């Protein structure tokens, strides 16, 4: 419940009048009451749930919320997690860093198909466990081809790597010209200043047009109310990141906004035992990722589609 | 207050009828309720109750949506001869075309709504209150053109019926501009729906410039098929005369459209298979099966055979002019195109996935039940609209004069 920053976009007059309109509906009043309830502590859970549902319904788009509305939204997210999972989480709104655009490079010759990145990602990002949403998919491909159609998504041998195979991890490429953003009818997904394509899970209407538009199969849908065993919940969360999601909305890799915007590595990079993953600031000429891009022969998956991915592959 | 009287009398006409009428409405009502009950189950549990998955993220709902937008657009095939070529026989029945368009657009909208993960948030798409990603998003375009088309197809017939009701001649100079707008609008709704799919390079199966023309051609085949059948039904169960000339014109349009549509299918098959690349994987999956997966194969071949039967019947003049043969062609063409541009078009776009995974889709009972409910709602809408407008059209229902007995 910390509104720890100024809103990025000053509300324009149009939004101001809209807010007036909503206030006239009495929504502002309810939001204030809900907020006060938290401030005074000793919340009645039943009452909270009802007021929260009401405020959730009228919650504005992330980019249009005032600092106060955002603080209330974050508090509601924390209360929701407590009600659903019995776990105290902390949900922040972590702003992008100035002068940073994130990029990723992956050394295919080092990837050995362990899928540690997949597991690290799941531990970090609170996807539903029953729904088995995973942001990273590692493809096992026969050496000598790059045809994805022949790849095995569910390889499960005793030991990896298997002879004659190579491994290609695929996740959201954080395209610079993202077709998913273009397709969304309600602007529930957009590219942040640090180049990360994010989703306002509370604004998504669940039409799944973005999933049809994505050439990397990076977007996943919550077909059911996602369940996470309470012991496995990562309580350190971000609004545009790993906070628990609801039924009926889309989600995807967000380069671990809750970590990377605080100078930490993304969870997949931290989990990778082979050092195949290079993550960093594309605007920093001294960064490792810049070194890779300038000195290695890199390629991007489906570059011909013109989406300008910020995820590169290279080999030793 | 004559307009309020018009609405009141119209509603009264809708809800008065004989025993067979009420049985028909009752059956539809039960099906609507059946669909609603299943939809409530889907709302409660989430879209997990459908057969859709991250791999095949659109299914039966969006398939019906694309098909129904075509049906809605094909109402223009009555509007053009009625108003541009001034064919009186067609002018007499153009209202029913508008009625079919209203019902079809309503169904298309309901199918999109049923497909949403968060229908409680549809208001996010309202301009001003929500955030509407127009003009970037093709889905936003679709919402605009569909709502506009719905309004046009309510406004124009309402005006004409109201004039009948007031016993005066509709002023063509007043509504002709709207007719012209509606003609272009009809083409636009189906073009936008095609662009919604063809704009995605991520899905090579849809990403073809032929999709727009193909949609129009198949719409102008399936639409008349339905209208011909509905007109015969109207002729049989109501006092409303539908002249044979109307049916002949529609059958002729359908014949040409079916031929063009089949040619487009052949063009797609040739282009994809002559030098077959990975982009042809979806069409191979659809027609021949891929790596042992072929659940759509029987469907598409059924569709091809039905379409071929329809084309042959429609092309041979004596057959086309015989009602039993024509009706066979209409049923075959309608079902064939429903398969071909519904499930046969939407599903292969997702198979294989952009990462090459093959995961098949089968609709669940819940999905089928919701779809039945929506179709029943659409048929109910058309029934009520036709029931309300026929006495006005026939001059039985006039302002200030109680309705004469009808059956």
């Amino acid at each position: 419940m910390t509104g720890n920053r100024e809103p990025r976009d000053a509300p324009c007059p149009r939004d101001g009048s809209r807010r007036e309109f909503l206030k006239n509906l009495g929504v502002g009043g309810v939001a204030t009451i809900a907020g006060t309830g938290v401030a005074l502590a000793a919340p009645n859970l039943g009452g909270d749930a009802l007021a929260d549902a009401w405020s959730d319904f009228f919650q504005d788009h992330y980019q249009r919320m005032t600092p106060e509305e955002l603080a209330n939204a974050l508090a509601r997210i924390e209360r929701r997690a407590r009600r659903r999972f019995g776990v105290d989480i902390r949900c922040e709104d972590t702003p992008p860093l100035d002068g940073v655009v994130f990029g990723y490079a992956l050394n295919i010759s080092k990837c050995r198909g362990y899928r540690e990145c997949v597991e690290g990602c799941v531990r970090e990002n609170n996807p539903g466990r029953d729904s088995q949403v995973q942001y990273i998919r590692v493809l096992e491909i026969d050496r000598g081809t790059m045809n994805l159609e022949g790849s095995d998504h569910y390889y499960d041998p005793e030991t990896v790597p298997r002879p004659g195979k190579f491994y290609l991890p695929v996740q959201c490429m954080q395209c610079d010209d993202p077709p998913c953003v273009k397709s969304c009818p309600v602007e529930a997904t957009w590219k942040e200043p640090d180049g990360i394509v994010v989703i306002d899970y509370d604004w998504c209407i669940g039409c799944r047009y973005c999933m049809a538009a994505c050439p990397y199969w990076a977007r996943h849908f919550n077909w059911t109310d996602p369940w996470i065993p309470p012991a496995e919940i990562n309580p350190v969360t971000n609004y545009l990141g790993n906070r628990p999601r609801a039924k009926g909305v889309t989600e995807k890799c967000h380069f671990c906004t809750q970590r990377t915007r605080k100078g930490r590595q993304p969870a997949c990079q931290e989990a990778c035992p082979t050092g195949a993953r290079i993550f960093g600031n594309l605007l920093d000429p001294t960064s490792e990722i810049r070194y890779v891009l300038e000195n290695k022969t890199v390629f991007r998956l489906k570059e011909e589609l013109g989406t300008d991915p910020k995820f590169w592959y290279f080999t030793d | 207050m004559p307009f309020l009287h018009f609405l009141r009398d119209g509603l009264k006409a809708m809800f008065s009828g004989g025993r067979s009428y009420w049985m028909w409405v009752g059956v539809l009502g039960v099906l609507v309720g059946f669909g609603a009950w299943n939809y409530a189950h889907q709302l409660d549990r989430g879209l997990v109750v459908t057969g859709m998955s991250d791999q095949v993220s659109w299914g039966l709902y969006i398939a019906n949506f694309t098909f129904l937008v075509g049906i809605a657009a094909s109402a223009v095939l009555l509007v053009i001869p009625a108003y541009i070529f001034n064919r009186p026989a067609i002018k007499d029945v153009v209202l029913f075309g508008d009625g079919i368009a209203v019902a079809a657009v309503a169904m298309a909208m309901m199918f999109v709504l049923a497909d949403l993960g968060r229908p409680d948030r549809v208001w996010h798409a309202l301009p001003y209150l929500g955030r509407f990603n127009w003009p970037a998003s093709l889905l936003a375009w679709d919402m605009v053109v569909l709502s506009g088309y719905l309004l046009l197809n309510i406004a124009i017939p309402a005006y004409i019926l109201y004039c009948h009701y007031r016993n005066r001649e509709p002023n063509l100079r007043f509504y002709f501009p709207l007719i012209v707008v509606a003609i272009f609008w009809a083409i636009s709704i189906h073009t936008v729906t095609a662009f919604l799919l063809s704009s995605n390079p991520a899905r090579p199966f849809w990403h073809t410039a032929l999709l727009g023309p193909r949609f129009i051609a198949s719409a102008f085949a399936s639409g008349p098929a339905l209208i011909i059948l509905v007109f015969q039904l109207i002729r049989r169960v109501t006092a409303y005369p539908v002249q044979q000339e109307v049916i002949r014109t529609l059958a002729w349009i359908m014949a040409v459209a079916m031929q063009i549509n089949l040619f487009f299918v052949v063009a797609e098959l040739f282009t994809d298979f002559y030098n077959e690349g990975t982009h042809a994987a979806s069409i191979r999956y659809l027609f021949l099966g891929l790596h042992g997966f072929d659940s759509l194969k029987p469907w598409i071949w059924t569709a091809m055979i039905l379409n071929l039967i329809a084309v042959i019947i429609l092309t041979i003049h004596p057959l086309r002019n015989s009602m039993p043969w024509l009706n066979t062609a209409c049923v075959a063409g309608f079902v064939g195109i429903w398969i071909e541009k519904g499930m046969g078009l939407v599903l292969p776009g997702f198979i294989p996935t952009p990462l090459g995974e093959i995961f098949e889709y089968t609709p669940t009972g819940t999905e089928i039940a919701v779809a039945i409910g929506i179709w029943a709602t659409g048929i109910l809408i058309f029934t009520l609209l036709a029931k309300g407008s026929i006495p006005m059209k026939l001059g039985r229902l006039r302002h200030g004069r109680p309705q004469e007995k009808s059956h």
Side-chain angles (χ1 to χ4, degrees):
Chain A
M1 48 176 298
T2 43
N4 57 357
R5 68 184 181 88
E6 292 299 308
R8 205 164 306 144
D9 306 309
C12 62
R14 191 177 73 100
D15 295 341
S17 49
R18 179 195 173 277
R19 197 155 285 118
E20 283 295 298
F21 181 87
L22 281 183
K23 272 220 171 74
N24 292 341
L25 284 174
V27 180
V30 173
T32 316
I33 293 165
T36 323
V38 177
L40 295 177
N44 175 330
L45 270 186
D48 262 0
L50 194 66
D52 282 1
W54 179 263
S55 309
D56 280 345
F57 181 81
F58 288 103
Q59 184 176 312
D60 205 348
H61 189 285
Y62 169 82
Q63 289 172 321
R64 284 202 306 216
M65 278 193 274
T66 63
E68 188 202 353
E69 284 172 333
L70 188 57
N72 288 333
L74 294 171
R76 283 198 300 277
I77 289 165
E78 292 171 356
R79 283 200 296 275
R80 209 185 301 153
R82 203 171 307 137
R83 277 196 297 269
R84 176 143 169 76
F85 301 109
V87 173
D88 285 315
I89 68 161
R90 180 178 160 77
C91 188
E92 294 182 358
D93 172 40
T94 317
L97 302 168
D98 280 335
V100 173
V101 169
F102 288 119
Y104 220 134
L106 197 147
N107 186 344
I108 322 175
S109 23
K110 279 192 176 163
C111 179
R112 302 177 69 77
Y114 298 146
R115 290 203 188 100
E116 295 287 341
C117 53
V118 179
E119 280 164 39
C121 172
V122 168
R123 277 195 303 273
E124 171 68 26
N125 284 310
N126 292 323
R129 301 301 200 272
D130 47 350
S131 49
Q132 296 185 334
V133 167
Q134 294 171 352
Y135 295 163
I136 306 172
R137 187 152 278 215
V138 184
L139 313 186
E140 188 187 65
I141 306 178
D142 287 331
R143 289 198 179 278
T145 175
M146 262 299 272
N147 186 2
L148 303 181
E149 206 192 296
S151 65
D152 188 352
H153 292 225
Y154 305 99
Y155 64 91
D156 191 24
E158 286 286 305
T159 55
V160 282
R162 282 202 288 180
K165 309 278 185 188
F166 75 98
Y167 296 86
L168 187 78
V170 184
Q171 61 202 77
C172 175
M173 306 272 158
Q174 316 294 351
C175 301
D176 221 40
D177 189 2
C180 52
V181 169
K182 233 172 166 173
S183 72
C184 177
V186 296
E187 298 180 6
T189 183
W190 65 92
K191 194 177 74 179
E192 285 271 288
D194 55 3
I196 301 178
V197 176
V198 294
I199 303 170
D200 184 347
Y201 312 116
D202 292 337
W203 193 259
C204 171
I205 59 172
C207 70
R208 307 187 298 291
Y209 192 24
C210 56
M211 296 172 74
C214 175
Y216 301 101
W217 201 67
R219 291 184 160 249
H220 304 273
F221 187 73
N222 287 287
W223 300 96
T224 179
D225 216 347
W227 175 253
I228 314 163
E232 292 178 27
I233 287 178
N234 175 7
V236 185
T237 71
N238 180 24
Y239 185 97
L240 296 175
N242 63 337
R243 66 186 168 105
R245 271 78 63 187
K247 171 176 76 178
V249 301
T250 306
E251 60 176 279
K252 66 171 197 67
C253 161
H254 42 78
F255 275 2
C256 287
T257 51
Q258 68 280 359
R259 298 166 62 104
T260 53
R261 284 180 173 181
K262 291 181 169 174
R264 297 179 65 198
Q265 294 179 315
C268 48
Q269 187 187 20
E270 195 176 79
C272 178
T274 69
R277 289 169 169 268
I278 313 286
F279 180 83
N281 181 6
L282 294 171
L283 301 183
D284 175 7
T286 64
S287 65
E288 199 181 357
I289 182 132
R290 279 288 290 271
Y291 178 85
V292 170
L293 295 187
E294 282 155 25
N295 296 287
K296 299 282 183 181
T297 305
V298 300
F299 73 92
R300 293 184 287 186
L301 212 56
K302 306 194 187 195
E303 196 177 54
E304 70 278 10
L305 299 184
T307 63
D308 213 352
K310 292 196 288 292
F311 195 108
W312 287 265
Y313 296 93
F314 65 103
T315 51
D316 284 333
Chain B
M1 290 287 97
F3 188 72
L4 283 182
H5 293 160
F6 164 71
L7 291 180
R8 184 201 60 197
D9 286 352
L11 281 171
K12 236 187 237 169
M14 283 179 194
F15 292 101
S16 57
R19 229 183 89 196
S20 48
Y21 176 69
W22 280 112
M23 284 222 342
W24 171 243
V25 171
V27 168
L28 290 175
V30 168
L31 291 176
V32 171
F34 173 64
W37 186 79
N38 277 277
Y39 182 61
H41 172 63
Q42 177 186 303
L43 274 185
D44 178 48
R45 296 277 313 280
L47 285 163
V48 68
V49 300
T50 71
M52 292 185 278
S53 57
D54 278 358
Q55 286 84 354
V56 184
S57 47
W58 281 343
L60 186 65
Y61 296 152
I62 297 297
N64 275 292
F65 159 77
T66 55
F67 176 76
L68 281 164
V69 175
I71 296 293
S74 65
V76 76
L77 296 175
L78 293 173
V79 174
I80 291 175
Y83 293 106
I84 307 294
F85 300 121
N86 274 315
R87 299 264 299 271
I90 294 179
K91 219 167 181 171
D92 276 345
V93 294
V94 71
L95 280 182
F96 299 117
D98 296 327
I100 289 178
V102 168
V105 174
M107 283 189 271
M109 286 173 153
M110 281 186 277
F111 271 114
V112 172
L113 200 64
D115 190 63
L116 289 187
R118 296 304 296 247
D120 53 320
R121 294 180 183 167
V122 276
W123 67 272
H124 290 181
L126 294 176
Y128 184 67
L129 278 183
R131 279 186 77 155
F132 196 49
N133 191 12
W134 190 86
S137 168
L138 262 302
L139 202 53
W141 272 90
D142 227 335
M143 293 176 192
V144 171
V145 294
L146 283 183
S147 344
Y149 194 64
L150 187 63
L151 290 179
L152 280 170
N153 277 285
I154 292 173
I156 296 171
Y159 169 73
I160 293 171
L161 275 180
Y162 180 64
C163 289
H164 282 294
Y165 178 73
R166 297 296 305 278
N167 218 356
R168 38 186 210 217
E169 204 45 40
N171 185 354
L172 192 68
R173 219 183 302 167
F174 179 67
Y175 72 90
F176 190 72
L178 278 184
I179 299 273
V180 175
V181 172
I183 289 171
F184 284 99
W185 208 286
I187 307 294
S188 86
I189 60 168
H190 214 31
T191 308
V192 167
T193 305
F195 285 1
L196 180 92
L197 301 171
S198 72
S199 59
N200 295 297
R203 311 280 171 182
F205 182 70
W206 300 335
H207 191 236
T208 156
L210 195 53
L211 204 68
R214 238 185 106 180
F215 266 34
I216 301 289
S218 59
F220 286 1
S222 55
L226 179 66
I227 297 172
I228 289 171
L229 296 171
V230 170
F231 278 0
Q232 292 175 68
L233 216 65
I234 287 176
R235 208 151 55 173
R236 182 163 304 176
V237 301
T238 75
Y240 203 86
V242 180
Q243 293 181 38
Q244 193 60 21
E245 178 196 340
V246 178
I247 287 173
R248 269 202 303 273
T249 305
L250 286 171
W252 183 82
I253 295 173
M254 188 186 166
V256 177
M258 279 305 286
Q259 291 163 353
I260 295 175
N261 183 53
L262 212 60
F263 170 68
F264 283 168
V265 173
V266 172
E268 292 266 26
L269 287 169
F270 171 79
T271 311
D272 272 334
F273 281 117
Y274 183 75
N275 267 323
E276 191 181 345
T278 50
H279 283 193
S282 295
I283 202 165
R284 172 167 281 278
Y285 166 74
L286 176 63
F287 280 91
L288 303 168
L290 195 63
H291 302 299
F293 296 94
D294 59 0
S295 67
L296 278 179
K297 201 167 103 180
W299 287 93
I300 197 67
W301 285 108
T302 306
M304 289 298 119
I305 291 165
L306 289 172
N307 287 351
L308 204 63
I309 291 172
V311 166
I312 292 169
I313 294 174
L314 291 165
T315 309
I316 301 170
H317 291 250
L319 293 184
R320 192 179 67 234
N321 290 327
S322 122
M323 286 318 280
W325 281 104
L326 179 61
N327 286 341
T328 312
C330 286
V331 172
F334 186 82
V335 176
I337 287 173
W338 180 77
I339 297 172
E340 180 208 310
K341 86 189 284 195
M343 306 279 263
L345 185 97
V346 172
L347 301 184
F350 295 98
I351 304 168
T353 70
L355 296 186
E357 183 184 357
I358 301 170
F359 191 87
E360 296 195 294
Y361 159 88
T362 317
T364 60
T366 307
E367 240 170 322
I368 294 169
V370 171
I372 289 173
I374 292 174
W375 274 94
T377 311
I379 297 170
L380 188 61
I381 289 172
F382 178 77
T383 305
L384 294 175
L385 288 176
K387 188 74 174 56
S389 53
I390 285 175
M392 293 188 194
K393 217 30 201 130
L394 288 175
R396 286 204 185 121
L397 185 54
R398 288 278 183 269
H399 186 228
R401 178 148 57 92
Q403 193 192 348
E404 288 166 21
K405 197 102 188 86
S406 76
H407 44 234

